[in-house]
Amino acid sequence: MNFLPLTPPGQTPPRVLTIAGSDSGGGAGIQADMRTFALLGVHSMVAITAVTVQNSLGVKGFHEIPTDVIAGQIEAVVTDIGVQAAKTGMLASSEIIETVAGTWRDLGLAGTPFVVDPVCASMHGDPLLHSSALGTLRTELFPLASLVTPNLDEVRLLVGIEVVDEQTQRHAAKALHALGPQWALVKGGHLRGSAHSPDLLYDGTEFYEFDAPRVDTGHDHGAGDTLAAATACALAHGYSMPEAVAFGKAWVTECLRAAYPLGAGHGPVSALFRLQA
Ligand code: PLP
């Protein structure tokens, strides 16, 4: 695959912010985002929203960071260092979503690429967002997003559509776009039985399809975070949205091919393959 342009040593690379939760097992969340950011050559900044107690077997619980500390992290890096793109992951609660949305608006970041990955639950089904917060995600954060990247379970929760084929995927993309983001990506990676992983991008006018062979690994923890993180990096480099999503998809496909077993449960997708390139 073609990687993003690298910045020469000693020069400041593009700066990308992740607003997300920590995964103590190191497979998803902030840890996955920072791994992808680093291996794509951008400077990582973080606003931690929650600390999960997690291993390869699942999420045992989480602690939410106070909202003033979350707003403070975002403000501190935006006002000093500057942000070329940001992404959100686990946001846990309505209060945290409102804080992130309010801070984004107050800092005048409307023109900055903003990828919202509407994380609702882990692959084991453990909740990472209180169900009462779904409405806040739709009404407060989606209208600020350059791109939303739900998987099929999240699509069902957010817009009540069961995606089973191309037609329902298009229907879902339209319903998501109607909530206010500039672009909606409906990821087809969970379309069971398909030998492909067809993702569909929509900007309110045109559909763009991104297909890749389905990589059937038992170890795909952190795949969603990794796709959104890589897409944010490409946007920070000034790629158009279809180019950035194509890049994110190619990156996560390679990370899926490089996934490894870990502990007694699900292993993570791995950006470490880049070190061998
Ligand atoms: N833990 C954290 C902190 C996350 O942000 C995420 C996903 O965004 C997960 C766990 C779940 O990852 P997966 O669905 O790949 O298990």
Side-chain angles (χ1 to χ4, degrees):
M1 65 173 291
N2 291 323
F3 295 112
L4 300 176
L6 291 176
T7 309
Q11 292 184 22
T12 309
R15 286 137 282 154
V16 183
L17 169 67
T18 171
I19 305 169
S22 163
D23 169 2
S24 52
I30 288 272
Q31 288 78 4
D33 293 343
M34 290 188 75
R35 205 156 38 239
T36 279
F37 290 176
L39 288 164
L40 289 175
V42 310
H43 177 81
S44 327
M45 301 179 296
V46 301
I48 301 196
T49 55
V51 175
T52 69
V53 178
Q54 183 170 179
N55 60 19
S56 72
L57 296 169
V59 182
K60 321 284 179 220
F62 60 80
H63 168 75
E64 294 167 26
I65 302 299
T67 50
D68 57 330
V69 178
I70 296 171
Q73 293 172 84
I74 300 171
E75 198 180 329
V77 300
V78 168
T79 55
D80 171 38
I81 300 170
V83 174
Q84 273 75 57
K87 74 159 287 259
T88 65
M90 174 187 184
L91 295 175
S93 72
S94 233
E95 292 72 25
I96 293 179
I97 295 168
E98 279 165 6
T99 298
V100 170
T103 310
W104 192 262
R105 277 193 301 262
D106 292 349
L107 290 169
L109 291 169
T112 303
F114 192 30
V115 179
V116 171
D117 184 17
V119 173
C120 295
S122 78
M123 62 192 301
H124 298 95
D126 309 307
L128 296 169
L129 179 78
H130 302 303
S131 50
S132 57
L134 278 169
T136 321
L137 199 53
R138 280 190 291 258
T139 57
E140 294 295 311
L141 205 55
F142 272 37
L144 302 179
S146 314
L147 173 70
V148 294
T149 62
N151 63 31
L152 298 187
D153 292 332
E154 290 154 357
V155 167
R156 193 182 319 108
L157 288 169
L158 286 161
V159 291
I161 295 171
E162 187 81 41
V163 174
V164 290
D165 54 21
E166 197 188 322
Q167 201 190 344
T168 43
Q169 198 176 19
R170 285 184 174 230
H171 186 36
K174 286 185 177 173
L176 287 159
H177 186 266
L179 295 172
Q182 285 163 32
W183 297 80
L185 181 71
V186 179
K187 296 181 293 189
H190 290 188
L191 266 178
R192 297 288 169 219
S194 169
H196 297 267
S197 168
D199 295 353
L200 189 68
L201 179 68
Y202 182 60
D203 66 352
T205 312
E206 251 184 273
F207 289 102
Y208 301 78
E209 283 184 24
F210 303 90
D211 203 3
R214 204 177 141 65
V215 182
D216 243 329
T217 163
H219 308 299
D220 58 359
H221 181 47
D225 313 58
T226 299
L227 170 76
T231 303
C233 291
L235 291 172
H237 273 282
Y239 284 37
S240 70
M241 189 59 76
E243 287 168 348
V245 169
F247 176 78
K249 176 101 173 146
W251 174 257
V252 77
T253 301
E254 290 306 317
C255 292
L256 279 159
R257 291 202 176 103
Y260 49 81
L262 198 69
H266 278 97
V269 302
S270 176
L272 302 179
F273 79 90
R274 176 75 202 264
L275 296 172
Q276 322 214 336

